[in-house]
Amino acid sequence: MDDDLGNSAATLAEAGVYLARAWGTRESVGRGRICACNADRDQCRVGLAGRHPVHADPARTATRDPSILEGWRTAFASENMLALTGARSRLVGLSFQDREALHVTQRRFGALPFTPLSEAPGGSRTAWFRWARPPVIDPDGMGTNVRVHAEGARLLVPGSTLADGVAEWVVSPADARIAGLPLPWRQTILNAADRRVFRTA
């Protein structure tokens, strides 16, 4: 069987994105691991079952080294992966609550370029873009159903398994290069600097 998560990780690493390990769908976290959870998947203590990092500081353990990523998939096959956003990975994400939110936002700010697009089991969609120095802002900067993942945030790598299903690519980075954000979108984010600071999870 193909390793969809491993393939996603390898493709993103090739594009310069740093990845970290995330708590997966196994029943509990082994003794000695630094993790916010030590409960079964339905009782995630931080409310992000399968989506939060294994280590307290994922940036310190993140890598884009193919051999390390391959080793993780062998040693920690039940775990998910997170892509780090921000200047280090030159990556920023825009998450839309659902397809309608994506369409509404595009009508407001203009069509988005062809770029990798992922979908979570619950139906939310995330467009992956090249870093353009946006601040970490309150999600209502672009609408109540849109969240900007900028410096210090993390995106779930497609192929990761959650309690309600598997995150998947709608448009894979193997089929579309990570595009830059169009100017109207970038300007809206930059103009939101006076809003309440919001750190995405």
Side-chain angles (χ1 to χ4, degrees), residues 42-67:
D42 296 322
Q43 298 174 329
C44 174
R45 293 177 183 173
V46 297
L48 293 168
R51 296 174 183 259
H52 71 76
V54 167
H55 295 284
D57 185 357
R60 294 187 64 182
T61 60
T63 185
R64 60 179 182 181
D65 185 321
S67 62

Side-chain angles (χ1 to χ4, degrees), residues 51-189:
R51 296 174 183 259
H52 71 76
V54 167
H55 295 284
D57 185 357
R60 294 187 64 182
T61 60
T63 185
R64 60 179 182 181
D65 185 321
S67 62
I68 294 177
L69 293 170
E70 185 177 351
W72 286 354
R73 295 300 299 142
T74 301
F76 310 108
S78 62
E79 292 181 351
N80 294 329
M81 286 194 191
L82 297 167
L84 273 61
T85 61
R88 186 180 181 191
S89 290
R90 297 191 63 241
L91 181 69
V92 62
L94 293 179
S95 288
F96 305 87
Q97 181 174 301
D98 48 34
R99 296 184 188 187
E100 179 61 22
L102 174 58
H103 294 152
V104 168
T105 312
Q106 287 192 99
R107 286 198 295 270
R108 182 178 175 190
F109 298 106
L112 289 172
F114 189 56
T115 196
L117 183 69
S118 59
E119 184 171 270
S124 64
R125 291 192 161 195
T126 299
W128 301 54
F129 293 98
R130 279 294 170 206
W131 177 247
R133 296 188 60 129
V136 180
I137 63 166
D138 188 291
D140 69 4
M142 303 200 79
T144 56
N145 296 323
V146 183
R147 175 169 290 183
V148 179
H149 302 271
E151 188 66 56
R154 301 173 285 270
L155 300 179
L156 188 69
V157 176
S160 295
T161 302
L162 302 176
D164 56 349
V166 179
E168 299 179 339
W169 289 113
V170 177
V171 178
S172 167
D175 299 321
R177 297 183 64 180
I178 300 175
L181 268 173
L183 185 59
W185 293 70
R186 290 172 55 188
Q187 198 60 52
T188 299
I189 295 170

Side-chain angles (χ1 to χ4, degrees), residues 19-31:
L19 298 112
R21 289 163 50 204
W23 186 69
T25 54
R26 64 190 183 284
E27 288 300 316
S28 63
V29 174
R31 183 179 297 177

